[in-house]
């Protein structure tokens, strides 16, 4: 195994500030990759020109797709935009979809979180519920931003998920059958891409985790905010550690 720290690319979002557009990554992702995956984080800007993504991915030991305030453009999964379906970030969409396809093709470890699991699904041919709360039998998974509660309340575990026996997530969590997670999202996986396997579901059937079928490397997507406080939540810590182990394997293979 390599003694050098693996290099992990973290996908950025764009946000407007006064007269400028900024590319940014929340601190939670940076610190989780650094402290719990044991990797060196680098930011991948959200660009619509993805011509250099294949070359970029070849230099990385892992990729983390973050959450974000925007939602994916519905035309990417063959649907019309529904009313009040959220902000858009075309650069993030383009970059994330290219990252998913290249990591899967090149066998680079991939961890998708919140928006990231949705990007994995769309990039590989699946679709999304634009308003999950309005889907038949689904409950409201949205974050209670309007309550103005502290972050530790907003990002606390919300509901349980059932984990598929023998799945990658089950292995990471030492055979756990059910855990409680802070799953906070307005959209969700609708039609599952053929390349993906469902790893976990909520009580209403909402898909909470997926993995890539016959993947060359670690490839896991989770709908909840696993980046939040891994020192307090063992499930989050275990996911980032497993991701880090896979990234170290990739680093070692690149150096041989």
């Amino acid at each position: 195994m390599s003694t050098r720290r693996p290099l992990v690319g973290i996908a950025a979002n764009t946000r407007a500030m006064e007269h400028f557009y900024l590319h940014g990554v929340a601190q939670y992702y940076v610190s989780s990759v650094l402290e719990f995956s044991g990797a060196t984080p680098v930011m991948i800007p959200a660009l619509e020109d993805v011509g250099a993504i294949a070359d970029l991915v070849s230099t990385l030991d892992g990729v983390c797709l973050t959450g974000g305030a925007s939602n994916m453009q519905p035309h990417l999964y063959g649907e019309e935009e529904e009313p009040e379906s959220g902000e858009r970030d075309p650069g993030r969409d383009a970059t994330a979809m290219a990252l998913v396809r290249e990591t899967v093709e090149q066998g680079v470890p991939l961890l998708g979180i919140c928006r990231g699991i949705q990007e994995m699904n769309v990039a590989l041919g699946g679709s999304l519920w634009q308003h999950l709360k309005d889907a038949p039998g689904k409950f409201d998974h949205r974050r209670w931003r309007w309550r103005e509660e502290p972050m530790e309340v907003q990002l606390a575990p919300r509901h349980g998920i059932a984990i598929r026996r023998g799945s990658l997530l089950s292995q990471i969590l030492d055979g756990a059958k059910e855990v409680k997670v802070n799953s906070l999202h307005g959209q969700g996986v609708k039609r599952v891409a053929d390349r993906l396997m469902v790893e976990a579901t909520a009580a209403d059937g909402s898909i909470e985790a997926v993995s890539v079928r016959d993947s060359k490397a670690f490839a896991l997507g989770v709908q909840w905010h696993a980046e939040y406080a891994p020192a307090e939540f063992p499930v989050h810590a275990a996911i980032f550690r497993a991701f880090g182990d896979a990234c170290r394997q990739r680093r070692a293979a690149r150096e041989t």
Side-chain angles (χ1 to χ4, degrees):
M1 192 71 72
S2 173
T3 58
R4 300 178 65 183
R5 293 173 69 94
L7 195 64
V8 169
I10 305 179
N13 296 289
T14 59
R15 298 299 295 270
M17 179 177 288
E18 296 180 348
H19 302 294
F20 301 96
Y21 276 94
L22 306 180
H23 295 256
V25 172
Q27 175 64 29
Y28 293 131
Y29 297 96
V30 173
S31 59
S32 292
V33 166
L34 182 66
E35 298 169 17
F36 287 85
S37 295
T40 299
V42 294
M43 187 183 74
I44 302 174
L47 305 176
E48 292 188 66
D49 181 355
V50 296
I53 290 292
D55 288 341
L56 172 63
V57 168
S58 71
T59 69
L60 297 174
D61 302 304
V63 168
C64 178
L65 301 175
T66 67
S70 65
N71 290 319
M72 296 192 76
Q73 301 167 93
H75 74 82
L76 296 172
Y77 48 91
E79 294 189 8
E80 297 293 326
E81 184 166 329
E82 296 176 4
E84 300 181 359
S85 53
E87 302 174 29
R88 304 298 179 201
D89 190 342
R92 168 61 189 250
D93 289 347
T95 295
M97 289 181 68
L99 286 170
V100 171
R101 291 164 181 161
E102 284 299 329
T103 53
V104 170
E105 175 63 27
Q106 297 186 36
V108 175
L110 173 65
L111 175 60
I113 293 175
C114 195
R115 192 189 209 271
I117 185 179
Q118 298 170 15
E119 292 166 337
M120 290 173 66
N121 189 51
V122 172
L124 297 176
S127 67
L128 304 177
W129 294 107
Q130 294 185 47
H131 296 284
L132 184 61
K133 67 181 178 63
D134 297 330
K138 302 294 193 269
F139 53 75
D140 192 347
H141 292 251
R142 292 177 300 171
R143 180 173 158 189
W144 301 321
R145 297 175 187 271
W146 56 88
R147 295 188 181 181
E148 298 183 355
E149 294 173 321
M151 290 298 288
E152 59 267 25
V153 175
Q154 290 193 40
L155 292 176
R158 178 77 65 85
H159 63 72
I161 59 170
I163 302 170
R164 181 173 60 82
R165 182 177 180 181
S167 65
L168 173 61
L169 184 60
S170 174
Q171 295 171 33
I172 291 170
L173 301 180
D174 296 325
K177 297 178 181 178
E178 184 172 332
V179 295
K180 197 170 184 180
V181 297
N182 57 348
S183 189
L184 310 166
H185 53 105
Q187 300 198 331
V189 173
K190 184 179 182 181
R191 184 183 70 257
V192 182
D194 290 342
R195 286 295 308 273
L196 297 181
M197 292 189 296
V198 175
E199 297 264 316
T201 55
D204 65 352
S206 296
I207 294 168
E208 291 287 340
V210 298
S211 61
V212 175
R213 196 183 304 275
D214 300 321
S215 178
K216 300 174 185 176
F218 180 103
L220 178 70
V222 299
Q223 185 61 76
W224 67 92
H225 285 278
E227 83 285 358
Y228 178 68
E232 299 176 30
F233 300 104
V235 169
H236 301 179
I239 289 170
F240 273 92
R241 285 176 180 139
F243 176 57
D245 289 343
C247 294
R248 276 182 284 280
Q249 292 176 9
R250 159 77 176 173
R251 180 80 193 192
R254 286 205 300 129
E255 292 181 348
T256 57

